[in-house]
Amino acid sequence: MRQVFVRQFDQEPQHSYFSPGRVNLIGEHTDYNGGHVFPCAISLGTYAMAAGRSDYRMRIFSMNLPDRGVIEFPMAGLSYDRERDWANYPAGVVRVFEEAGYPCSHGLDIVVNGTLPNGAGLSSSASLEVLTALILNETFSFGLSMVDLVRLSQKAENTFVGVNCGIMDQFAVGMGKKDCAILLNCQTLDYRYSRIDLPDASIVITNTNKPHSLASSAYNVRRAQCEHALNELREVRPDLPALGALSNEEYSRLAGHISEQLERQRARHAVFENNRTLQAVEALEQKDLARFGRLMNESHVSLRDDYDVTGRELDTLAELAWAQDGVIGSRMTGAGFGGCTVSLVKNDAIPAFKERVGQGYTEKIGYAPSFYVAGIADGTHRID
């Protein structure tokens, strides 16, 4: 990376950074419904090297997309530009910093190099956003906390890129802690770390290799359906802050007030998945891995049947995983419509898991999946 930096920018980098991706163990599509999520930062992510410039422009180069060349833009007054391609994510962060009263006083040269598979739903965009936020915070001594950086990164994705995502991805990326997952209440941002103790087992991420794009997917539609369902429930429960505030029993009692059957299903997933997440964390803390795995499987079924965000590829991976020896649990992770599954697999079963799931998926779908055994990592940080 250093050699690339010097070749591209004719100066030495000043600092190096790492920003992880994330995988959500359980609690999907609950974040924007005021519920709980249980993600962890992973050892795959985005590296960066940065150095200041004397002028007022950012020049940024991705080693993953060398054909796009160096992308350049000013440090103020930015708006979304399709021609800027992937660099709209860092540009969006620069813009929201400026709007929040933190203008940059000079330009930057940055090289990034990611180890996350692109479009796999492991939060490569959030990884890049929080990474940029940390570089700006440290370079210009803004003194913001990591939670501030997380909020600004989410705002960049919402208002600049135009994806109405919840805060989970940026929070997990920024606040991750080695060997721990984060139980996060997305309504209040209260959180606690829960140690992931997997004796003789590992987290295996399986990529469908079907790319997905949040902005062009049905993500925003699902969010709107849940908001409409919540508004209908507020006609009989005016004090209801979010779907995540309901117990399963309360929801079942009130569901008839949601007029559309489809919206009833969407809301049911949001409520039941939130409570399933709390049960799963409790099971993990009681060292009941078998129960945790069963709840992961139930999560996938709910995402398939009530939320309709899985699709043929993810369902094939999950069903193949459930049939393998040594698999504790398996489910889709991320927004869906492609991307990845996350599975807890006994270490001695991982080679057979890869072989059999890979073979079964290839036979049914027509191309092979990819497998990643991930460690649980610290959040975004400076390396040197």
Side-chain angles (χ1 to χ4, degrees), residues 149-196:
L149 303 186
V150 161
R151 286 181 184 276
L152 287 167
S153 297
Q154 182 204 8
K155 189 179 179 192
E157 184 131 359
N158 290 169
T159 63
F160 194 88
V161 179
V163 177
N164 203 11
C165 65
I167 201 164
M168 173 183 68
D169 292 356
Q170 291 82 4
F171 199 96
V173 163
M175 299 293 289
K177 186 175 177 182
K178 187 169 169 52
D179 298 328
C180 292
I182 310 168
L183 179 65
L184 170 66
N185 181 329
C186 296
Q187 185 74 1
T188 63
L189 288 198
D190 290 339
Y191 69 96
R192 65 181 171 88
Y193 293 105
S194 182
R195 187 167 177 81
I196 301 292

Side-chain angles (χ1 to χ4, degrees), residues 52-370:
R53 295 174 53 79
S54 56
D55 64 8
Y56 199 55
R57 298 185 72 75
M58 180 180 285
R59 297 190 304 178
I60 190 161
F61 178 80
S62 168
M63 291 172 61
N64 306 97
L65 299 164
D67 55 314
R68 312 285 164 89
V70 174
I71 298 173
E72 192 172 325
F73 50 85
M75 300 296 284
L78 291 161
S79 57
Y80 186 89
D81 180 357
R82 187 186 289 272
E83 293 295 306
R84 206 181 286 126
D85 197 52
W86 67 271
N88 276 301
Y89 292 103
V93 174
V94 171
R95 175 64 178 170
V96 296
F97 266 72
E98 182 191 6
E99 289 172 342
Y102 299 99
C104 303
S105 54
H106 61 76
L108 285 164
D109 285 337
I110 300 175
V111 165
V112 297
N113 187 17
T115 56
L116 287 164
N118 230 359
L122 300 177
S123 292
S124 54
S125 58
S127 178
L128 182 57
E129 287 157 355
V130 182
L131 180 70
T132 307
L134 181 66
I135 292 171
L136 298 185
N137 195 41
E138 295 217 338
T139 301
F140 302 105
S141 303
F142 290 140
L144 296 165
S145 70
M146 183 55 78
V147 172
D148 293 330
L149 303 186
V150 161
R151 286 181 184 276
L152 287 167
S153 297
Q154 182 204 8
K155 189 179 179 192
E157 184 131 359
N158 290 169
T159 63
F160 194 88
V161 179
V163 177
N164 203 11
C165 65
I167 201 164
M168 173 183 68
D169 292 356
Q170 291 82 4
F171 199 96
V173 163
M175 299 293 289
K177 186 175 177 182
K178 187 169 169 52
D179 298 328
C180 292
I182 310 168
L183 179 65
L184 170 66
N185 181 329
C186 296
Q187 185 74 1
T188 63
L189 288 198
D190 290 339
Y191 69 96
R192 65 181 171 88
Y193 293 105
S194 182
R195 187 167 177 81
I196 301 292
D197 192 11
L198 297 176
D200 309 319
S202 296
I203 294 171
V204 180
I205 298 164
T206 310
N207 189 353
T208 62
N209 287 326
K210 176 191 179 185
H212 78 167
S213 164
L214 275 186
S216 62
S217 74
Y219 178 94
N220 289 345
V221 175
R222 295 298 183 284
R223 184 162 186 161
Q225 288 170 330
C226 287
E227 285 171 0
H228 191 255
L230 175 62
N231 286 334
E232 289 195 319
L233 291 178
R234 281 178 175 156
E235 291 170 12
V236 288
R237 273 280 305 271
D239 60 335
L240 185 63
L243 292 173
L246 291 168
S247 69
N248 293 355
E249 295 72 26
E250 284 174 310
Y251 172 76
S252 298
R253 209 166 49 243
L254 295 171
H257 294 282
I258 302 169
S259 53
E260 292 284 333
Q261 170 62 27
L262 202 57
E263 292 186 354
R264 220 174 292 154
Q265 286 175 234
R266 305 298 189 243
R268 176 187 153 87
H269 167 76
V271 173
F272 279 60
E273 178 78 350
N274 178 51
N275 294 314
R276 195 164 23 242
T277 302
L278 296 173
Q279 292 166 20
V281 175
E282 184 183 276
L284 196 67
E285 291 174 347
Q286 292 170 352
K287 304 206 181 315
D288 190 347
L289 266 186
R291 183 169 172 238
F292 186 90
R294 285 195 301 273
L295 290 161
M296 286 179 74
N297 298 348
E298 288 173 20
S299 169
H300 185 91
V301 170
S302 178
L303 288 156
R304 180 190 70 196
D305 295 349
D306 278 345
Y307 223 64
D308 190 23
V309 292
T310 55
R312 184 166 171 255
E313 294 81 5
L314 286 166
D315 288 340
T316 298
L317 284 181
E319 288 158 17
L320 285 164
W322 297 338
Q324 306 307 316
D325 291 336
V327 173
I328 298 160
S330 184
R331 59 182 288 277
M332 64 151 269
T333 186
F337 315 107
C340 295
T341 58
V342 57
S343 308
L344 299 184
V345 186
K346 296 281 187 185
N347 291 332
D348 57 7
I350 289 175
F353 173 86
K354 288 180 176 178
E355 184 182 342
R356 289 174 189 152
V357 172
Q359 184 180 354
Y361 182 85
T362 304
E363 285 171 4
K364 185 165 180 181
I365 303 299
Y367 51 85
S370 304

